[in-house]
Amino acid sequence: LKHQCEKSKKMYRVAKASEYLVITGVGITDIKLAKKAWILPGQSCSVFDLSPVNYTFEVQAMSAEKLPFILPAVFTIGPRVDNHDSLLKYAKLLSSHDKLSHHVKELVQGIIEGETRVLAASMTMEDVFRGTKSFKQEVFDKVQLELNQFGLLIYNANVKQLVDVVGHEYFSYLGQKTQMEAANQAKVDVAEARMKGEVGAKSREGQTLQNAARIDAETKIISTQRHGEGVKEEIKVKTEVKVFENEREAVVAEANSELAKKKAVWAQTAQVAEVEAIKAVALREAELQREVERMNALTMTEKLKAEFLSKASVEYETKVQEANWELYKKQKAAEAILFEKEKEAEAQKALAEAAYYSRQQAAEAELFAKKKEAEGLVAIGEAQGVYLRTLLDALGGKYSNLRDYLMINNGMFQEIAKTNAEAIRGLEPKISIWTNGGNGSDVGGGMKDVANVYKMLPPLFNTVHEQTGMLPPAWMGTLSDKTS
């Protein structure tokens, strides 16, 4: 959609939601894009549509092996609305053409076919087929890069399944190969599943027998443990019964002791009552005779009564005090034994707690020492790393310079010199320096080198003889005593 704005009738123009106004003329350096604007005299405006358009192509390309194939594709392309510079490019270059025109379609098709063919020529057919997704993405990226210079954007691109060219059925054969491989793999999987089922069944049977034997053994063990626990409980119950019987016997003995005490008290009371009865009879007799000896009998009766009552009271108090004393001594002895046992138990508990605390403190001290030792090693390692990094930076980052510096700083070359000196100490090598003694004036031409070789042999044999003691073979002659 585009048309020329009428200058004389309509001065204020507003574009639709999917359109832009392109204004040129007086007061505008290049072009001006706007959604709404006043159109002044001396200015002209046109309207271009931003709606994207679908372009359908069948691109014929060829792989690196010279195998042709067809790439069906549908591209949804339109002006880039999110970038002002792209809109300016589109307004200048393509806004005068209809988006469905032959010119725009040829432009887009040429870019897509060119980039697709260039990319396909660098890839094998196997790469194109297996990496279809990455191949499509690369095509889109390269096409978009070319469309940027026209202000166009690929909103959506859909590449269909690659198609064989007649006479070059690569994809169909590849599909048949994949189907056959899948069928063969399925047969292998079925056979493997059948094998796993049979093996699994046998394994389950064996595990069932093993588990049954294990359960029987565990049952016997548990039965023996339960029998032992029953015997333990029986012994425990018998022990508790025996303790209870002993406690009951002690209670019965204590009750018998209390009964004996009470019987003694009752006997004493009976004796006192009997004495009192006798004295009462005597008193009655004395009363009957008081008229004769009233004062004497009364005095005698009072005296006897006071004497016997005092004696009985003293004896009663004495027995009670003795019984109480014996009971008190027994209680104190039992309390002393109990107190001693409690103190021994508390002392043992205190010793155990002290030993546990001592071991705990020793373990914590050792752990703390190990941690500090590890932290020290880490700190040393970090310091050495900083030291080496600093030296390496100072020496220009060259490892060879750092190595030479460390060897010099640590005295490595002095140690190497000492080691070499110790290695040859005590040796007395014989060194002979000799020449052939001539200047080669007598021999000329090509025979000069041969003559020099023969002149070198006698001194050489002499040196070998001096240093190794070996003589040349007899056919080579013998050495003379004097060597020139």
Side-chain angles (χ1 to χ4, degrees), residues 285-331:
E285 291 178 352
E287 287 179 354
L288 294 174
Q289 295 177 2
R290 66 185 174 185
E291 295 178 354
V292 180
E293 295 178 354
R294 183 174 179 273
M295 294 301 297
N296 292 333
L298 183 58
T299 302
M300 184 61 70
T301 300
E302 292 295 332
K303 181 180 179 181
L304 290 174
K305 182 179 179 182
E307 182 181 353
F308 283 105
L309 287 175
S310 298
K311 183 178 181 181
S313 299
V314 171
E315 290 179 357
Y316 172 74
E317 293 294 334
T318 302
K319 296 295 184 181
V320 171
Q321 292 297 328
E322 288 178 356
N324 291 336
W325 174 248
E326 291 294 333
L327 178 61
Y328 179 76
K329 286 195 298 183
K330 291 180 180 180
Q331 290 178 349

Side-chain angles (χ1 to χ4, degrees), residues 242-448:
K242 186 64 177 177
V243 171
F244 180 75
E245 289 177 353
N246 293 336
E247 290 178 352
R248 296 306 301 171
E249 289 179 358
V251 172
V252 171
E254 185 178 359
N256 291 333
S257 176
E258 292 292 333
L259 180 59
K261 293 177 182 179
K262 291 181 178 180
K263 285 182 178 179
V265 174
W266 294 337
Q268 292 176 1
T269 305
Q271 291 177 1
V272 171
E274 184 179 358
V275 171
E276 290 179 350
I278 294 172
K279 296 308 178 182
V281 171
L283 180 59
R284 185 59 179 169
E285 291 178 352
E287 287 179 354
L288 294 174
Q289 295 177 2
R290 66 185 174 185
E291 295 178 354
V292 180
E293 295 178 354
R294 183 174 179 273
M295 294 301 297
N296 292 333
L298 183 58
T299 302
M300 184 61 70
T301 300
E302 292 295 332
K303 181 180 179 181
L304 290 174
K305 182 179 179 182
E307 182 181 353
F308 283 105
L309 287 175
S310 298
K311 183 178 181 181
S313 299
V314 171
E315 290 179 357
Y316 172 74
E317 293 294 334
T318 302
K319 296 295 184 181
V320 171
Q321 292 297 328
E322 288 178 356
N324 291 336
W325 174 248
E326 291 294 333
L327 178 61
Y328 179 76
K329 286 195 298 183
K330 291 180 180 180
Q331 290 178 349
K332 290 301 180 182
E335 290 177 357
I337 294 172
L338 178 61
F339 181 77
E340 184 178 356
K341 295 295 183 182
E342 289 178 351
K343 291 301 181 182
E344 290 180 357
E346 291 178 357
Q348 292 178 356
K349 180 180 179 182
L351 290 174
E353 291 178 351
Y356 172 74
Y357 180 77
S358 176
R359 289 194 295 270
Q360 185 179 10
Q361 292 298 320
E364 291 179 355
E366 183 177 0
L367 177 60
F368 182 77
K370 294 293 184 181
K371 287 182 177 179
K372 290 301 180 182
E373 183 178 356
E375 292 175 358
L377 293 175
V378 171
I380 292 172
E382 292 178 352
Q384 291 179 349
V386 172
Y387 172 67
L388 292 176
R389 283 196 296 272
T390 304
L391 289 178
L392 190 61
D393 294 339
L395 296 173
K398 294 184 178 180
Y399 168 74
S400 58
N401 295 342
L402 176 63
R403 180 193 59 201
D404 295 341
Y405 172 78
L406 292 176
M407 292 180 67
I408 294 172
N409 192 36
N410 295 329
M412 184 63 70
F413 291 110
Q414 291 87 335
E415 294 296 330
I416 293 174
K418 289 181 180 180
T419 303
N420 292 336
E422 291 293 333
I424 63 174
R425 178 180 294 176
L427 298 179
E428 296 179 357
K430 293 183 178 180
I431 300 174
S432 300
I433 300 175
W434 49 272
T435 63
N436 52 17
N439 54 9
S441 59
D442 298 334
V443 181
M447 296 300 294
K448 182 178 180 179

Side-chain angles (χ1 to χ4, degrees), residues 37 96 130 142 163 212 215 259 271 279 435 445 483:
S96 61
R130 294 190 180 277
K142 292 184 179 299
V163 180
I215 291 172
L259 180 59
Q271 291 177 1
K279 296 308 178 182
T435 63
T483 307

